[in-house]
Amino acid sequence: MSRCKGCDAVLLSDEIALHRKLFGLGEQRYLCLDCQAAYLNTTRQRLEQVILQYHRRGNCVLFTKWE
Ligand SMILES: [Zn+2]
């Protein structure tokens, strides 16, 4: 189980997928959505929308398909 390197929260697969999108595949440790938002100086809601967009497009292998 992966944990956020900022606040130690348990990470969801979507949070890891977004982190890999935004910060690249080289990172071995990830940030949760709240910490990513803080780091990027944006809001959690904004990042949730980005995740939603990737899911809707459905062409990114990092994001597991929603049924
Ligand atoms: Zn965190």
Side-chain angles (χ1 to χ4, degrees):
M1 194 184 305
S2 299
R3 285 178 181 275
C4 172
K5 66 180 176 183
C7 69
D8 213 38
V10 175
L11 295 171
L12 305 173
S13 63
D14 279 350
E15 292 175 317
I16 295 173
L18 183 67
H19 192 281
R20 297 176 87 176
K21 269 282 182 194
L22 297 178
F23 298 92
L25 300 178
E27 288 281 338
Q28 292 301 307
R29 298 204 58 197
Y30 310 106
L31 293 168
C32 70
L33 216 52
D34 287 320
C35 290
Q36 287 182 53
Y39 186 85
L40 296 168
N41 204 16
T42 183
T43 62
R44 183 193 171 90
Q45 284 74 19
R46 179 81 192 94
L47 294 183
E48 283 173 344
Q49 282 182 350
V50 173
I51 288 174
L52 211 60
Q53 277 170 16
Y54 281 122
H55 276 293
R56 287 224 183 91
R57 265 184 252 157
N59 61 356
C60 180
V61 294
L62 293 178
F63 291 87
T64 48
K65 286 245 184 346
W66 286 346
E67 298 301 326

PDB file of all heavy atoms in Angstrom, residues 4-9 11 30-36, ligand 1:
ATOM      1  N   CYS A   4       1.133   8.753   1.051  1.00  0.00           N
ATOM      2  CA  CYS A   4       1.566  10.083   0.633  1.00  0.00           C
ATOM      3  C   CYS A   4       2.901  10.432   1.299  1.00  0.00           C
ATOM      4  O   CYS A   4       3.068  10.237   2.498  1.00  0.00           O
ATOM      5  CB  CYS A   4       0.501  11.092   1.040  1.00  0.00           C
ATOM      6  SG  CYS A   4       1.003  12.793   0.803  1.00  0.00           S
ATOM      7  N   LYS A   5       3.827  10.973   0.490  1.00  0.00           N
ATOM      8  CA  LYS A   5       5.119  11.320   1.070  1.00  0.00           C
ATOM      9  C   LYS A   5       5.052  12.648   1.828  1.00  0.00           C
ATOM     10  O   LYS A   5       5.995  13.017   2.523  1.00  0.00           O
ATOM     11  CB  LYS A   5       6.202  11.389  -0.012  1.00  0.00           C
ATOM     12  CG  LYS A   5       6.046  12.492  -1.041  1.00  0.00           C
ATOM     13  CD  LYS A   5       7.186  12.428  -2.046  1.00  0.00           C
ATOM     14  CE  LYS A   5       7.014  13.464  -3.149  1.00  0.00           C
ATOM     15  NZ  LYS A   5       8.093  13.363  -4.167  1.00  0.00           N
ATOM     16  N   GLY A   6       3.896  13.335   1.704  1.00  0.00           N
ATOM     17  CA  GLY A   6       3.733  14.571   2.433  1.00  0.00           C
ATOM     18  C   GLY A   6       3.060  14.379   3.780  1.00  0.00           C
ATOM     19  O   GLY A   6       3.573  14.793   4.804  1.00  0.00           O
ATOM     20  N   CYS A   7       1.896  13.708   3.777  1.00  0.00           N
ATOM     21  CA  CYS A   7       1.102  13.624   4.998  1.00  0.00           C
ATOM     22  C   CYS A   7       0.835  12.201   5.443  1.00  0.00           C
ATOM     23  O   CYS A   7       0.119  11.980   6.413  1.00  0.00           O
ATOM     24  CB  CYS A   7      -0.217  14.370   4.813  1.00  0.00           C
ATOM     25  SG  CYS A   7      -1.329  13.563   3.644  1.00  0.00           S
ATOM     26  N   ASP A   8       1.377  11.201   4.713  1.00  0.00           N
ATOM     27  CA  ASP A   8       1.267   9.797   5.098  1.00  0.00           C
ATOM     28  C   ASP A   8      -0.135   9.220   4.938  1.00  0.00           C
ATOM     29  O   ASP A   8      -0.441   8.159   5.479  1.00  0.00           O
ATOM     30  CB  ASP A   8       1.753   9.598   6.545  1.00  0.00           C
ATOM     31  CG  ASP A   8       2.408   8.231   6.719  1.00  0.00           C
ATOM     32  OD1 ASP A   8       3.101   7.800   5.791  1.00  0.00           O
ATOM     33  OD2 ASP A   8       2.206   7.614   7.782  1.00  0.00           O
ATOM     34  N   ALA A   9      -0.999   9.899   4.204  1.00  0.00           N
ATOM     35  CA  ALA A   9      -2.323   9.350   3.938  1.00  0.00           C
ATOM     36  C   ALA A   9      -2.204   8.174   2.968  1.00  0.00           C
ATOM     37  O   ALA A   9      -1.287   8.124   2.149  1.00  0.00           O
ATOM     38  CB  ALA A   9      -3.219  10.422   3.325  1.00  0.00           C
ATOM     39  N   LEU A  11      -2.891   6.216  -0.257  1.00  0.00           N
ATOM     40  CA  LEU A  11      -3.154   6.765  -1.589  1.00  0.00           C
ATOM     41  C   LEU A  11      -4.138   5.899  -2.367  1.00  0.00           C
ATOM     42  O   LEU A  11      -4.076   4.677  -2.334  1.00  0.00           O
ATOM     43  CB  LEU A  11      -1.853   6.866  -2.375  1.00  0.00           C
ATOM     44  CG  LEU A  11      -0.830   7.851  -1.819  1.00  0.00           C
ATOM     45  CD1 LEU A  11       0.489   7.681  -2.560  1.00  0.00           C
ATOM     46  CD2 LEU A  11      -1.329   9.274  -1.958  1.00  0.00           C
ATOM     47  N   TYR A  30       4.685   9.150  -3.935  1.00  0.00           N
ATOM     48  CA  TYR A  30       3.628  10.006  -4.459  1.00  0.00           C
ATOM     49  C   TYR A  30       3.002  10.873  -3.383  1.00  0.00           C
ATOM     50  O   TYR A  30       3.138  10.615  -2.196  1.00  0.00           O
ATOM     51  CB  TYR A  30       2.546   9.142  -5.122  1.00  0.00           C
ATOM     52  CG  TYR A  30       3.110   8.143  -6.094  1.00  0.00           C
ATOM     53  CD1 TYR A  30       3.176   6.797  -5.772  1.00  0.00           C
ATOM     54  CD2 TYR A  30       3.622   8.570  -7.308  1.00  0.00           C
ATOM     55  CE1 TYR A  30       3.718   5.881  -6.667  1.00  0.00           C
ATOM     56  CE2 TYR A  30       4.155   7.661  -8.201  1.00  0.00           C
ATOM     57  CZ  TYR A  30       4.201   6.317  -7.875  1.00  0.00           C
ATOM     58  OH  TYR A  30       4.749   5.424  -8.745  1.00  0.00           O
ATOM     59  N   LEU A  31       2.267  11.885  -3.855  1.00  0.00           N
ATOM     60  CA  LEU A  31       1.518  12.764  -2.962  1.00  0.00           C
ATOM     61  C   LEU A  31       0.030  12.475  -3.103  1.00  0.00           C
ATOM     62  O   LEU A  31      -0.448  12.143  -4.186  1.00  0.00           O
ATOM     63  CB  LEU A  31       1.772  14.233  -3.328  1.00  0.00           C
ATOM     64  CG  LEU A  31       3.193  14.774  -3.102  1.00  0.00           C
ATOM     65  CD1 LEU A  31       3.351  16.124  -3.776  1.00  0.00           C
ATOM     66  CD2 LEU A  31       3.501  14.882  -1.623  1.00  0.00           C
ATOM     67  N   CYS A  32      -0.701  12.653  -2.010  1.00  0.00           N
ATOM     68  CA  CYS A  32      -2.153  12.532  -2.087  1.00  0.00           C
ATOM     69  C   CYS A  32      -2.709  13.766  -2.796  1.00  0.00           C
ATOM     70  O   CYS A  32      -1.990  14.724  -3.079  1.00  0.00           O
ATOM     71  CB  CYS A  32      -2.758  12.386  -0.690  1.00  0.00           C
ATOM     72  SG  CYS A  32      -2.652  13.903   0.285  1.00  0.00           S
ATOM     73  N   LEU A  33      -4.015  13.722  -3.067  1.00  0.00           N
ATOM     74  CA  LEU A  33      -4.629  14.796  -3.843  1.00  0.00           C
ATOM     75  C   LEU A  33      -4.491  16.151  -3.132  1.00  0.00           C
ATOM     76  O   LEU A  33      -4.214  17.172  -3.773  1.00  0.00           O
ATOM     77  CB  LEU A  33      -6.104  14.470  -4.072  1.00  0.00           C
ATOM     78  CG  LEU A  33      -6.678  14.883  -5.424  1.00  0.00           C
ATOM     79  CD1 LEU A  33      -5.826  14.376  -6.569  1.00  0.00           C
ATOM     80  CD2 LEU A  33      -8.083  14.378  -5.553  1.00  0.00           C
ATOM     81  N   ASP A  34      -4.677  16.150  -1.824  1.00  0.00           N
ATOM     82  CA  ASP A  34      -4.560  17.406  -1.075  1.00  0.00           C
ATOM     83  C   ASP A  34      -3.150  17.968  -1.153  1.00  0.00           C
ATOM     84  O   ASP A  34      -2.951  19.172  -1.346  1.00  0.00           O
ATOM     85  CB  ASP A  34      -4.941  17.173   0.393  1.00  0.00           C
ATOM     86  CG  ASP A  34      -6.443  16.970   0.562  1.00  0.00           C
ATOM     87  OD1 ASP A  34      -7.205  17.687  -0.107  1.00  0.00           O
ATOM     88  OD2 ASP A  34      -6.837  16.105   1.352  1.00  0.00           O
ATOM     89  N   CYS A  35      -2.153  17.108  -1.017  1.00  0.00           N
ATOM     90  CA  CYS A  35      -0.770  17.579  -1.069  1.00  0.00           C
ATOM     91  C   CYS A  35      -0.380  17.990  -2.488  1.00  0.00           C
ATOM     92  O   CYS A  35       0.370  18.946  -2.681  1.00  0.00           O
ATOM     93  CB  CYS A  35       0.183  16.501  -0.547  1.00  0.00           C
ATOM     94  SG  CYS A  35       0.043  16.220   1.235  1.00  0.00           S
ATOM     95  N   GLN A  36      -0.890  17.281  -3.501  1.00  0.00           N
ATOM     96  CA  GLN A  36      -0.634  17.690  -4.883  1.00  0.00           C
ATOM     97  C   GLN A  36      -1.227  19.063  -5.146  1.00  0.00           C
ATOM     98  O   GLN A  36      -0.608  19.913  -5.793  1.00  0.00           O
ATOM     99  CB  GLN A  36      -1.237  16.680  -5.868  1.00  0.00           C
ATOM    100  CG  GLN A  36      -0.479  15.368  -5.934  1.00  0.00           C
ATOM    101  CD  GLN A  36      -1.069  14.419  -6.950  1.00  0.00           C
ATOM    102  OE1 GLN A  36      -1.254  14.767  -8.112  1.00  0.00           O
ATOM    103  NE2 GLN A  36      -1.373  13.201  -6.524  1.00  0.00           N
TER     104      GLN A  36
HETATM  105 ZN    ZN B   1      -0.745  14.115   1.484  1.00  0.00          ZN
END
